[in-house]
C-alpha cells in the first residue's frame, strides 16, 4: 500500500512538474522584455520613442508668396462677379447710347442706369477693402477694355474723373489700373479663369 502511494505521489509530481514546465515555456515564448519604471508604487512598462525630425516644407519666401497668392485669390472670388456685372452693364449702356443722339437724352439715360447700379451695389461695394477695390478695378479693365478713369470720363466728364482719381490717390489707389494677363497680371488671370469656372462664367 505504501509502495503504491509513493508511486502515485511520484507520478503526480512528474505530471505537475511537466505541466509547470510547459506553462513556463509557453510564458517565456509570449513575453517581450521591456524597460520599466515605478510610478506610484506600480511597475509599468516604458519605451523610448524614436527621434522625429520636423522639417518645414516651405521657406519664408515661399510662405510669403503663398500668403500673397491666397489674399489675391480671395479678393478675386469676392470682386469678380461685380466686374462681370460692370462689363455687362457697360455693353448694354453703349448699345443704347448708339441710338440716342440728343445730349440731354443720353445724360438722362446714363443717370437712370447710374441710379439702378447705386441701388444694387452701393452697400456691397462699400464693404470692400482698399486692396479688394484695387483688384476690382483691374478686373473691370479686363472685362471692359477700359480702366475706371476712362469709364468715368466717358460717362461723367473729365472733371469728375480727375476728382475721383485724386481721391483714389489719397487712398493709395489708382483709377488707371492696367491689366496685363500675359505679364504682371498672369497669376491673376489664372485665378480669374479658376473663379470663372466656379461661377459658371465663360472665359
Amino acid at each position: 500500500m505504501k509502495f503504491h502511494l509513493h508511486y502515485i505521489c511520484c507520478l503526480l509530481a512528474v505530471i505537475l512538474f511537466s505541466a509547470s514546465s510547459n506553462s513556463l515555456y509557453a510564458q517565456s515564448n509570449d513575453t517581450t522584455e521591456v524597460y520599466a519604471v515605478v510610478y506610484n508604487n506600480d511597475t509599468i512598462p516604458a519605451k523610448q520613442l524614436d527621434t522625429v525630425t520636423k522639417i518645414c516644407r516651405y521657406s519664408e519666401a515661399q510662405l510669403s508668396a503663398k500668403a500673397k497668392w491666397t489674399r489675391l485669390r480671395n479678393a478675386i472670388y469676392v470682386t469678380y462677379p461685380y466686374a462681370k456685372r460692370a462689363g455687362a452693364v457697360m455693353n448694354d449702356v453703349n448699345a443704347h447710347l448708339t441710338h440716342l443722339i440728343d445730349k440731354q437724352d443720353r445724360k438722362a439715360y446714363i443717370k437712370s442706369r447710374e441710379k439702378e447700379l447705386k441701388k444694387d451695389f452701393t452697400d456691397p461695394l462699400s464693404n470692400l477693402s482698399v486692396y479688394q477695390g484695387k483688384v476690382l478695378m483691374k478686373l473691370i479693365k479686363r472685362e471692359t477694355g477700359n480702366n475706371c478713369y476712362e469709364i468715368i470720363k466717358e460717362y461723367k466728364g473729365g472733371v469728375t474723373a480727375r476728382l475721383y482719381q485724386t481721391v483714389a490717390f489719397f487712398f493709395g489707389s489708382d483709377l488707371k489700373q492696367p491689366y496685363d494677363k500675359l505679364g504682371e497680371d498672369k497669376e491673376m488671370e489664372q485665378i480669374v479663369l479658376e473663379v470663372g469656372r466656379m461661377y459658371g462664367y465663360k472665359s
Side-chain angles (χ1 to χ4, degrees):
M1 181 70 178
K2 184 184 289 188
F3 173 77
H4 289 292
L5 184 59
H6 177 71
Y7 177 78
I8 291 172
C9 288
C10 288
L11 184 60
L12 285 173
V14 170
I15 293 172
L16 289 173
F17 178 80
S18 176
S20 175
S21 298
N22 289 336
S23 175
L24 289 173
Y25 180 75
Q27 184 179 3
S28 64
N29 283 342
D30 294 339
T31 302
T32 301
E33 291 186 358
V34 296
Y35 292 100
V37 295
V38 177
Y39 180 75
N40 288 340
N41 296 323
D42 189 16
T43 303
I44 57 176
K47 184 178 181 180
Q48 183 175 358
L49 299 177
D50 296 332
T51 302
V52 176
T53 304
K54 184 178 180 182
I55 302 175
C56 183
R57 294 175 56 191
Y58 301 104
S59 65
E60 289 297 323
Q62 289 172 322
L63 288 173
S64 176
K66 184 174 177 62
K68 184 179 178 182
W69 180 88
T70 300
R71 186 188 186 200
L72 176 61
R73 184 173 182 269
N74 290 340
I76 292 173
Y77 262 93
V78 171
T79 59
Y80 189 51
Y82 300 128
K84 291 294 289 186
R85 171 73 170 146
V89 169
M90 275 198 64
N91 291 335
D92 187 53
V93 168
N94 290 335
H96 278 78
L97 289 178
T98 57
H99 304 293
L100 297 176
I101 307 300
D102 185 77
K103 191 174 181 180
Q104 292 300 321
D105 290 341
R106 291 170 66 90
K107 214 170 178 183
Y109 176 73
I110 291 172
K111 195 167 185 179
S112 69
R113 295 306 300 269
E114 182 183 0
K115 187 177 180 181
E116 173 192 334
L117 291 174
K118 281 183 178 179
K119 180 181 178 182
D120 292 340
F121 295 109
T122 295
D123 287 340
L125 292 182
S126 63
N127 292 326
L128 295 181
S129 67
V130 173
Y131 178 76
Q132 289 172 332
K134 290 179 180 179
V135 171
L136 176 59
M137 285 189 286
K138 276 187 169 289
L139 294 178
I140 288 175
K141 168 68 174 177
R142 178 186 186 272
E143 294 301 315
T144 66
N146 297 312
N147 60 47
C148 290
Y149 182 87
E150 293 168 338
I151 294 171
I152 295 172
K153 184 179 179 182
E154 173 70 22
Y155 295 119
K156 303 294 287 183
V159 174
T160 303
R162 286 191 293 273
L163 176 62
Y164 277 99
Q165 173 69 341
T166 302
V167 173
F169 172 79
F170 282 109
F171 282 94
S173 189
D174 183 6
L175 295 179
K176 298 179 181 180
Q177 292 278 351
Y179 190 82
D180 182 7
K181 67 178 183 180
L182 299 178
E184 65 177 10
D185 298 312
K186 184 177 180 180
E187 188 175 55
M188 180 181 283
E189 178 68 15
Q190 293 172 344
I191 299 173
V192 167
L193 294 176
E194 174 200 333
V195 174
R197 288 191 295 270
M198 193 275 290
Y199 282 118
Y201 295 133
K202 295 181 179 179
S203 302

